Each structure stands twice: as structure tokens, then as C-alpha cells.
Amino acid sequence: MEFKEFTKIYEVSNQDISREVYRNNQNTIRIKKEITAVNNLEKIFNAVFYISYKKGFQAMSMRDLSQKTGMSLGSLYAYFKGKNDLLGIIQTQGWAIIKKDIEQVSKSHEAPLEKLKAVIKAHIFLSELFRPWFFFTFMEARNIAAVKSMEDHTQKILTDILVAGEKQDVFKPGNHHLTASIIKAMQQEWYLKQWKYKKLNVSVDQFADHLVGMVEAFCLV
Amino acid sequence: MEFKEFTKIYEVSNQDISREVYRNNQNTIRIKKEITAVNNLEKIFNAVFYISYKKGFQAMSMRDLSQKTGMSLGSLYAYFKGKNDLLGIIQTQGWAIIKKDIEQVSKSHEAPLEKLKAVIKAHIFLSELFRPWFFFTFMEARNIAAVKSMEDHTQKILTDILVAGEKQDVFKPGNHHLTASIIKAMQQEWYLKQWKYKKLNVSVDQFADHLVGMVEAFCLV
DNA sequence: GTCTATACGTGGATAGAC
DNA sequence: GTCTATCCACGTATAGAC
């Protein structure tokens, strides 16, 4: 599967995400008109990602955010209770995006190798589609327990596939936990070092294929 | 080479680092007695790493730092001009540690495969020895141009080895820039996700060997 | 729903005693 | 060299007009 294909199957836009956030937080968001709210939420998220990418969420002031969105300080506080609340909203949503996807993909395919390839690629493609969410979640949430448990969760999926593959004599024996962990690291690389791959002129598809190639070389009997 | 061996060859302690920092910054540091200065600098760095690991450097207040070091606010400012200055000092030193090592190691060995293994392992071992410095540098300096150029630099060393190996028919042809980049990502994993490998009970040596195994499987003809 | 004006607290930094 | 006390700016958050 290539990235283009993936985007057609996985039809979710940034607007959809903002709408989801709006509906999940209608109790705290003071805006009544959905269209207005969704549009502004999108503006807010983009601004947060932009500023946080450069200097981190903590260093971003509400005045920064006000300037970048073009909205006043007062308006912003109609969309979230406080800066900390905003952080929580983004993290929760980022988490939801990742979780939903992984579960979906890991159910498709049966053969271990095909399954492994599909899971690896799906995660990279998803992180490409929502790169700012992934980057932000990684950078700003590092020590939250929730994030660690999510890492464990997604890693377990990979480990299970490797173990199943070994039983079917498709994969070599070895420390599958460790292999799974390193695969995860390689996937993360794509959204953590975007600037590098832009400079190297490497596309998502190239990156994903290269990574799959490395995993195959190491795991296959 | 194993980690134990490495530590014997590379005989540098945290004290040595603090002393280096002291000597490099004698113009701005107001303390005259070296012993006092070096001891307190070490305390300061450890405190910075501890607090920043949990909430990031920006979120760390000078009062946090004062409490954790047991030194007063006033005293702290005798060691650096300001919070921003402190950040710069740590980053510069972190950078120096990495740079010095890599250059040293890349000169040893001649055969591409041996050289590749040595460079990969040395970096992992070094990052283990000075893990807080590496973690801090990665997390707090992500978008500084200096850091990007350093990434390029260390990556180039790996790329060159791969290219040389291909010419000697030891390594398969391929996108060596991309491979080098992914190797770097795998190395970084060791100090970025320390908590995970502690939980998995994976030692530095195991990790390094596993990684070398993956690279060999992929690169060797 | 969005704005401006403003209150209030926190945090970086310094002065000056010891 | 280190401390306490204090200054001042900046940033979060709210009130209330439009």
C-alpha cells in the first residue's frame, strides 16, 4: 500500500478532528455555533502546533497564541478554561487518533509478514497525515503515565505479531520485545525529524519501504 | 567491545565535565575557588537534569532549582548570568561531549564493517555514560541550528562508512543517507526511552548488540 | 461571540547584609 | 561565597462593554 491509497481509505481531515474535539468538550466550550467553534478550534490548534514546534508549549504565551490566531485573549478563553486545559485537550485527542488507527489496522491481514508490514506502514502513514499531533504528543507529553501505557500498548501489537510469526517459522527467534521497541523508534523518527527528510528529499513511501526492508532483513528466516 | 571496557578507556567523570565547564566560563562565573565551583556546578547540573526531565527546562523555575540544589537564588546567579545563560552552557557542553567522542572513534579501525560497528556502539555507550546530557540536549535544543548541523555531521560519518563499504563490496548498495539516518534514530532511542529498557530489563550491551545485528542483516551483502 | 482593559500571581533577576 | 529581601516584568486569567 502506498500513502496515496492510504489517504483515500482513511478519510479524516483536520476539520473532522476539530469537530470531534468540539463535540467531546461541549460542556466546557462556551461557543454555541458549531461551525464557528470548529473553524476557530482548527485555527487554534494550528497556531499551537506552529508555536510549540519552535519553542515548546510551556514557552508559548497566551499572547503569542492570540497574535498567531488573530483572536483576542478573551475570545480564546471561550474555547478552553485555561492553558493547561488546552494542553489536555490536545493530548487526549492525539492519543485517540493513534489508538483508533492501530486497533483498526492490526485486525486486517492474517499472515504474520503481511500483517507486520501493514501495521508498520499504517502507523507511518497516519503520522504523516497528522504529523503535528504526533510531534506535539511526543514532545509535550513524554512523562505522562498515559503516554507510556500507550507506548506499551502499541508495542505489544508488534511483539505479538513477531511472536506469532516465529511460531509459524516465518520469523527468526530473538528478543521480540526489543525488536518491536526499535521498530517503534524507527517509526517515530519520521515525524520527529521531518526537517531532515525534507532536506534529504525522502518521501513517506520511500521511508516506509526502507524501514520495512530493514525489518524484513532482520526478522525473516 | 562491551560497555565495561568502554568506561575504562573513556575515563571521564561528571566531575571532569563540571571542571571543564568551570574553566571554559571563568569569565562569567563569579566563584574563585575551583573546588567549590566545580562541586556546586555538578549539583546544579544534576538538579537541572532532574527537574527538566520531569517538566522541561522552560517550566523549571529558578526557585525550583534553588530548592533542589539547596542553594539560594542569590548564590545560583553567581554561577551563571541568567537562566538562559545556564541553558546555553549546558547545550554547549553537551555538544562538545558528543563531538569529541565521535571524531575519536571514527578514526580507529579500517575495515568498513568493523568501523561501522565500532562507531555505532561507541555512540550508544557514550550516551549511556552521559545520559542526562544527551537527553537534555535532544529535548531542549531540538530546533537550534547548531544541533541540526551536528546531526548532519555525525550522520555523515555513518554515511561515509556505508559508501566506502559498498565500494569494497562489503555492503549492499542502497540509499545510504537514509540508512545512516535510521541508525541514528535507533541509537537515540536508548537515551530517549530509558524507562522502557529499564522495564524490559535490557542492558546497554544487549541493546547495542541487537542494533548492530539489525544493521548487519540489512547492510551486508 | 469577540473585543479591550485590567487584576493578580508567578518568576527572573539584583542589592546589599553577613 | 552565600544568604534574605525586594523589585519589576511578564503571563494567565477575568470582567464587562459592544
Side-chain angles (χ1 to χ4, degrees), chain B residues 154-216:
Chain B
T154 60
Q155 189 177 314
K156 195 181 174 306
I157 294 175
L158 287 171
T159 308
D160 288 347
I161 300 175
L162 291 169
V163 170
E166 184 189 338
K167 275 192 189 139
Q168 297 180 33
D169 289 322
V170 182
F171 297 144
K172 274 188 252 183
N175 189 336
H176 297 312
H177 289 287
L178 190 42
T179 305
S181 189
I182 291 174
I183 292 175
K184 267 202 71 70
M186 298 195 288
Q187 292 174 317
Q188 272 170 354
E189 172 76 359
W190 178 254
Y191 58 88
L192 286 182
K193 306 266 182 63
Q194 193 228 335
W195 57 273
K196 196 192 271 188
Y197 298 101
K198 219 165 209 166
K199 219 173 84 179
L200 281 178
N201 233 325
V202 172
S203 71
V204 213
D205 287 314
Q206 276 179 281
F207 185 86
D209 286 334
H210 203 88
L211 210 152
V212 165
M214 290 183 83
V215 173
E216 281 183 325

Side-chain angles (χ1 to χ4, degrees), chain B residues 31-33 40 72 75 79:
Chain B
I31 312 300
K32 290 298 156 223
K33 273 171 75 181
N40 281 331
S72 68
S75 300
Y79 290 84

